[in-house]
Amino acid sequence: MSKVLHATLIGGHGFVGRHLDAHLRATGWLCDLIARNDKPILDRHYGHVFYCAGLTADFRQRPFDTVEAHVSYLAHWLQAAKFDSLTYLSSTRVYANASSTAETSTLLVNPELAGDLYNLSKLMGESLCLQSGRPVKIARLSNVYGEQMPSQNFLSEILSAAARLKTVEFLTGPESEKDYISVKDVALALPRIALADESGIFNLASGKNISNQMIADFLTKSGVICAFQPNAPAIIFPRIETKKVESLFGMRTCDLVQDLPSLLQHYGEAL
């Protein structure tokens, strides 16, 4: 009889955490959800910890909470908790301005830029994990999409406006592009990373960018009026290297463009 795998999800009530919890339970894992800021109990074993706690869209307004979630609270778990592994969810945003998006790349940050507070805090969390001497993995996630995305999310705002108003104005230019990965692929990959013999950092991304124009083309065909704000900036994120997860797991990801019809339908049904 095989041993039941035990997972502890920190931040399990968030977007990624909810989907990961559902996938783990469906595949036979025993799951515990830890409320944010609950400290680890010293005599308890937590199995495989998935550290999903963090801030996203509102990090600029909450700098102290951002550092607390990405670094300080993490430190309690690395110092005190008993676990088989801890998988820390980071972000491919850390590759901004980098010459390469391979997991071993040297990264650039500027503490004078408000947007880099997020990258700095994530990188500090990563470094703390990797220098802790504990069994840790780092998963750098690209832009995660799926049903029940946070409302303060570019794709969520676009699809919500398309479903409600049948008109969308993009605040960034048509050539703006970035990598998107389905939350279903993330939930599938994270347990594999936790159980893998391979350690270190793993990029979880599709490996290809989707432009605003591609999203607008789909919406236009669906009867939505699309416009771009005059002189909207072009924000182009680097394409994310995915060779490591592909070689380890044979991972192939969903395609956002193919998933847009079902996502738009979901937002329409939610009205």
Side-chain angles (χ1 to χ4, degrees):
M1 185 174 180
S2 60
K3 180 182 177 182
V4 175
L5 293 167
H6 175 209
T8 298
L9 277 64
I10 301 171
H13 296 291
F15 172 49
V16 172
R18 291 196 309 272
H19 284 268
L20 176 59
D21 179 49
H23 171 73
L24 290 171
R25 293 178 190 274
T27 52
W29 287 63
L30 174 65
C31 295
D32 291 321
L33 304 184
I34 299 294
R36 186 178 293 181
N37 296 327
D38 279 1
K39 299 298 194 303
I41 300 170
L42 295 182
D43 60 351
R44 179 176 172 183
H45 197 281
Y46 289 91
H48 296 279
V49 176
F50 295 90
Y51 193 92
C52 308
L55 276 73
T56 51
D58 56 348
F59 71 89
R60 290 179 178 84
Q61 292 74 45
R62 301 170 60 191
F64 297 106
D65 290 339
T66 299
V67 174
E68 173 66 27
H70 296 168
V71 184
S72 304
Y73 183 48
L74 169 68
H76 292 294
W77 287 85
L78 291 172
Q79 285 180 295
K82 298 176 182 177
F83 52 74
D84 295 313
S85 72
L86 184 147
T87 301
Y88 178 71
L89 272 58
S90 187
S91 170
T92 58
R93 284 178 58 108
V94 300
Y95 292 117
N97 302 313
S99 60
S100 166
T101 61
E103 287 90 343
T104 55
S105 300
T106 298
L107 305 174
L108 297 174
V109 289
N110 183 348
E112 292 190 345
L113 299 178
D116 274 16
L117 174 69
Y118 183 91
N119 294 3
L120 282 161
S121 64
K122 282 294 190 184
L123 289 172
M124 175 59 79
E126 290 187 13
S127 183
L128 189 60
C129 284
L130 296 171
Q131 305 308 317
S132 67
R134 305 298 305 277
V136 297
K137 315 289 178 75
I138 310 295
R140 289 177 178 164
L141 276 58
S142 71
N143 299 276
V144 185
Y145 71 88
E147 296 182 1
Q148 301 175 329
M149 286 181 284
S151 58
Q152 289 182 308
N153 171 290
F154 165 74
L155 195 57
S156 176
E157 291 176 350
I158 292 294
L159 294 173
S160 179
R164 289 186 297 108
L165 307 173
K166 301 300 180 185
T167 181
V168 169
E169 183 181 40
F170 289 80
L171 303 183
T172 52
E175 64 273 40
S176 296
E177 63 177 42
K178 53 187 172 182
D179 187 292
Y180 295 89
I181 187 169
S182 168
V183 71
K184 296 178 182 178
D185 289 324
V186 171
L188 184 66
L190 287 175
R192 294 180 178 179
I193 289 174
L195 297 174
D197 293 332
E198 188 82 8
S199 61
I201 301 169
F202 301 77
N203 287 338
L204 282 186
S206 68
K208 61 182 180 180
N209 283 1
I210 302 296
S211 69
N212 285 358
Q213 187 64 63
M214 296 169 72
I215 297 171
D217 288 345
F218 160 74
L219 293 175
T220 300
K221 292 177 182 177
S222 302
V224 178
I225 298 172
C226 294
F228 290 90
Q229 194 173 73
N231 301 314
I235 301 178
I236 300 174
F237 286 87
R239 297 194 178 189
I240 307 301
E241 176 66 66
T242 58
K243 290 181 181 178
K244 184 174 181 177
V245 291
E246 288 175 3
S247 64
L248 287 173
F249 312 125
M251 187 173 170
R252 294 292 183 272
T253 59
C254 299
D255 187 299
L256 172 62
V257 173
Q258 294 180 3
D259 286 345
L260 281 173
S262 61
L263 286 171
L264 184 59
Q265 180 181 352
H266 168 74
Y267 278 87
E269 293 172 348
L271 295 178

